[in-house]
Amino acid sequence: MRSRFDEQLALLNKELITMGSLCESAISLVSKALDNSDQEMTKKIAEIDAEIDQMERDIESLCSKMLLQQQPVARDLRQISAALKMITDMERIGDQAQDIAEIISFLNGHTAQVHRQIHEMAEETIKMVTNSVEAYVKKDASLAATVIAYDDVVDDNFNNIKGDLIQVIVKNPKEGEYAMDLLMIAKYFERIGDHACNIAEWVIYSIAGNKK
């Protein structure tokens, strides 16, 4: 029985890594689309979001089987519960990447200096998602704590971008709508960072039995 459970647990880890990689791909694509938006890029992001949604359902099914067919001990239960919470955050990451893509489709190739800062936010959130999933698989509470602390970096970047965009509006009110679109994009990246932080907190719960 235990060997079967361990096989399922290994499969769960593999599926979580794949889902995390899809989230990373979605974030990377929308970052690139910020400067090179086209219909094919937007379509690809939508396809990745659909894959993420399907993986959420598949992992939920796997977790249900593990709970119903096996006899997991307390630590196993925490790990399965954490996985179920993590995939909810990953699904939201996919949705928000799709939301960013929809906003980008209205920019019509318009670019600004602040794009560089938004690209940096995207890279930071990719790093957070990667490390949070890796922390789960490796049962590394220290790495998870690093992800949580790094959320402050993303928040600071968002606040800097917000300040710069306010100055854009002040100097050129005609750019107001464009600046607000960029602010929404930055806000979605900030929320993605929050979701990665949530994932890391659930990793700590799976290891220690609490989220702090």
Side-chain angles (χ1 to χ4, degrees), residues 64 79 90 118 144 165:
S64 294
Q79 199 162 355
M90 288 188 200
I118 296 177
L165 289 173

Side-chain angles (χ1 to χ4, degrees), residues 8-173:
Q8 290 177 319
L9 194 57
L11 176 60
L12 174 60
N13 289 347
K14 181 180 177 181
E15 293 287 277
L16 284 168
I17 292 171
T18 301
M19 193 173 181
S21 295
L22 287 171
C23 289
E24 294 164 27
S25 296
I27 300 167
S28 180
L29 276 174
V30 292
S31 178
K32 292 176 183 176
L34 191 59
D35 294 327
N36 303 290
S37 179
D38 59 58
Q39 290 301 315
E40 284 303 312
M41 183 79 76
T42 303
K43 180 180 177 182
K44 180 61 178 175
I45 293 166
E47 290 172 352
I48 292 174
D49 184 35
E51 285 187 70
I52 291 171
D53 290 345
Q54 182 60 53
M55 289 217 70
E56 181 188 29
R57 292 189 288 270
D58 292 344
I59 293 172
E60 283 178 344
S61 177
L62 174 60
C63 288
S64 294
K65 289 178 182 177
M66 293 172 74
L67 290 170
L68 294 172
Q69 297 176 3
Q70 307 295 334
Q71 295 180 324
V73 297
R75 179 163 179 166
D76 295 330
L77 284 170
R78 290 200 305 269
Q79 199 162 355
I80 296 168
S81 298
L84 287 168
K85 295 291 186 179
M86 288 166 62
I87 60 174
T88 298
D89 280 294
M90 288 188 200
E91 190 274 335
R92 291 299 300 138
I93 288 172
D95 287 347
Q96 284 160 359
Q98 176 70 10
D99 290 336
I100 293 170
E102 290 177 5
I103 297 173
I104 288 173
S105 68
F106 294 108
L107 297 183
N108 297 318
H110 196 153
T111 61
Q113 182 63 31
V114 76
H115 281 214
R116 179 183 58 79
Q117 294 166 271
I118 296 177
H119 285 307
E120 289 176 3
M121 278 191 76
E123 290 299 318
E124 288 161 357
T125 56
I126 289 172
K127 181 178 179 180
M128 290 177 71
V129 172
T130 301
N131 287 344
S132 61
V133 176
E134 184 177 345
Y136 175 85
V137 173
K138 293 183 176 179
K139 298 180 178 60
D140 189 338
S142 178
L143 181 57
T146 300
V147 173
I148 295 168
Y150 201 77
D151 191 44
D152 289 339
V153 176
V154 174
D155 290 345
D156 286 344
N157 251 354
F158 171 72
N159 289 328
N160 290 336
I161 289 169
K162 182 168 65 174
D164 289 346
L165 289 173
I166 289 172
Q167 290 303 310
V168 169
I169 296 170
V170 169
K171 292 176 181 177
N172 188 357

